[in-house]
Amino acid sequence: TSLSFAPFREGFSPLEEVFPLPEHIDEDLRLLADKTYGIRTYSSLGGMEPTPSLARKHGLTMIQGGWLGYLATDNQREMQALVASANANPDVVKRVIVGNEVLLRGEMSVDRLIEYIREVKRQVKQPVSYADVWSMYMKNPQLIKEVDFITIHILPYWEDEPISVEHAAEHLEKIVRQVEDEARGIAPGKPILIGESGWPSAG
């Protein structure tokens, strides 16, 4: 198991380009070290650069992400940082995720995304994936062929028809089976990782 890790404190925000400090990451990982085996990150730049060495210090492994968005120059820098980190820290970085919900946000075509996935796969030894809400894999089944493992987000509260908390667990199981059925015809036995799940703390 792993926990999603985005160490932004009050007054810090990727949107305002106020990025976490190394001591914030260090402190947060120290708090997480006895609660999880690993962390999942969403970007490789923007203050996140010290994360692999700090994860190592605290005995944690990583699923390292690279952030993709509208801007090709930013994407290229992010992918270079992701590849460099994965290659420099193979003992810590166990899996790699190229992009997070970029299709859901409508910021990139699936063909361009596949180019980025292939580019990273050529350059790292770790298994490579793309993370998005489960329905995006159903809408773009060609992604199933491209990734080494399928990373889906299942967030019952945020479904088009929200699922009540009493039925959230069975909803998760149902969705995993649906994605397995879809994958069986394209890439039998391909592993599925639930990249995000949970319930909002307010709402």
Side-chain angles (χ1 to χ4, degrees), residues 56-71:
R56 180 183 293 111
K57 171 183 164 185
H58 293 290
L60 293 163
T61 62
M62 285 176 67
I63 302 171
Q64 184 159 1
W67 189 262
L68 292 175
Y70 280 120
L71 294 173

Side-chain angles (χ1 to χ4, degrees), residues 12 25 39 47 60 74 104 112 123 134 138 153 169 179 195 201:
F12 292 77
I25 296 171
I39 56 164
L60 293 163
D74 289 354
L104 179 67
R112 185 73 190 96
Q123 297 177 75
W134 64 273
M138 305 299 266
H153 301 165
V179 176
S201 54

Side-chain angles (χ1 to χ4, degrees), residues 6-189:
F8 286 88
R9 302 184 177 196
E10 199 171 338
F12 292 77
S13 164
L15 302 175
E16 287 156 30
E17 300 198 0
V18 184
F19 297 118
L21 303 174
E23 53 266 35
H24 295 171
I25 296 171
D26 192 19
E27 202 177 307
D28 288 355
L29 292 179
R30 183 176 55 75
L31 291 170
L32 290 175
D34 64 349
K35 296 171 183 69
T36 186
Y37 296 107
I39 56 164
R40 175 192 166 190
T41 61
Y42 289 82
S43 61
S44 297
L45 294 171
M48 298 300 287
E49 296 87 339
T51 310
S53 59
L54 292 170
R56 180 183 293 111
K57 171 183 164 185
H58 293 290
L60 293 163
T61 62
M62 285 176 67
I63 302 171
Q64 184 159 1
W67 189 262
L68 292 175
Y70 280 120
L71 294 173
T73 48
D74 289 354
N75 292 340
Q76 215 48 54
R77 282 177 54 245
E78 184 75 35
M79 292 304 103
Q80 283 165 357
L82 174 63
V83 165
S85 178
N87 288 333
N89 302 287
D91 58 318
V92 174
V93 179
K94 298 300 184 185
R95 294 169 182 263
V96 165
I97 294 183
V98 175
N100 183 75
E101 296 188 355
V102 70
L103 298 180
L104 179 67
R105 295 192 307 275
E107 292 176 359
M108 185 176 289
S109 71
V110 69
D111 292 340
R112 185 73 190 96
L113 172 61
I114 285 170
E115 285 174 25
Y116 281 116
I117 293 168
R118 289 177 178 173
E119 194 181 316
V120 171
K121 277 177 80 168
R122 279 195 297 272
Q123 297 177 75
V124 302
K125 294 190 169 64
Q126 293 91 333
V128 175
S129 187
Y130 164 68
D132 211 327
V133 295
W134 64 273
S135 55
M136 285 297 148
Y137 266 97
M138 305 299 266
K139 284 179 190 157
N140 301 283
Q142 64 271 47
L143 281 170
I144 292 169
K145 275 207 297 270
E146 299 293 335
V147 296
D148 296 317
F149 60 101
I150 300 160
T151 303
I152 52 172
H153 301 165
I154 312 173
L155 299 157
Y157 181 89
W158 295 109
E159 293 286 6
D160 292 340
E161 290 180 26
I163 308 295
S164 68
V165 72
E166 299 79 26
H167 297 108
E170 68 193 67
H171 177 71
L172 253 69
E173 288 176 27
K174 185 185 105 182
I175 295 304
V176 169
R177 280 198 302 274
Q178 245 177 279
V179 176
E180 273 174 347
D181 288 346
E182 181 72 28
R184 196 173 293 121
I186 297 165

